[in-house]
Amino acid sequence: MEKSIKEGLNLKTRRNKKGIAIDSQITYYLIKDIFKAGIGAYNKEVPEIIFTSSSAVKWAFIEAYFLGDGYHAKNRIVLTTVSRKLVVGLVLLLRMLGIKKITLYKQRHIYRLNIFESLPFAKIK
């Protein structure tokens, strides 16, 4: 994400204890109103444009999400979020890409999306 912001939007970023910060109102409105991706962890969702994009773009989105909020567990790939809208969008994207072995559960306030098959960018045993 940081690389995309720096190279794609040519904006400066800074790191803080919460992650990456961008001091730009234009970026705020781009994310909030154009991409409609939501502001704040609980309001995030998959941008509408991703659903109508090519499979390559969908996979790139899933991979980028995995690199930020995903991990390998013993026999699965796990994606986490606190946003109900985002986890529903991730499930839909994975289904659109032909991924069938998925479970979803909520642990306290965190959704854990378990994927029990390999993805193009992450293999499981």
Side-chain angles (χ1 to χ4, degrees):
M1 183 173 157
E2 187 175 15
K3 181 180 175 185
S4 296
I5 291 165
K6 286 180 179 178
E7 294 177 9
L9 299 174
N10 199 27
L11 294 171
K12 291 182 181 180
T13 61
R14 60 182 167 80
R15 290 184 177 261
N16 61 29
K17 64 182 179 183
K18 292 183 179 180
I20 298 168
I22 309 161
D23 296 324
S24 168
Q25 281 190 324
I26 291 173
T27 305
Y28 170 82
Y29 290 112
L30 178 70
I31 293 168
K32 180 179 171 277
D33 297 327
I34 304 300
F35 293 145
K36 298 187 187 314
I39 299 297
Y42 290 90
N43 300 311
K44 289 194 181 345
E45 57 187 294
V46 176
E48 288 179 34
I49 194 168
I50 300 296
F51 293 109
T52 57
S53 295
S54 68
S55 291
V57 170
K58 289 178 177 104
W59 279 122
F61 182 86
I62 297 288
E63 180 178 9
Y65 193 84
F66 169 78
L67 292 171
D69 285 324
Y71 61 92
H72 281 97
K74 188 186 299 185
N75 62 345
R76 66 193 184 280
I77 297 162
V78 183
L79 304 177
T80 63
T81 182
V82 295
S83 170
R84 185 174 189 277
K85 283 184 177 180
L86 180 56
V87 80
V88 168
L90 291 169
V91 168
L92 178 57
L93 270 182
L94 290 163
R95 294 284 191 213
M96 290 172 81
L97 291 164
I99 303 301
K100 305 240 185 286
K101 297 177 183 176
I102 299 172
T103 62
L104 175 64
Y105 70 95
K106 188 174 182 183
Q107 184 181 28
R108 295 188 185 146
H109 66 283
I110 298 172
Y111 293 96
R112 297 197 189 282
L113 176 57
N114 297 299
I115 305 162
F116 294 93
E117 52 189 285
S118 293
L119 304 179
F121 54 86
K123 306 294 181 203
I124 60 172
K125 296 178 183 176

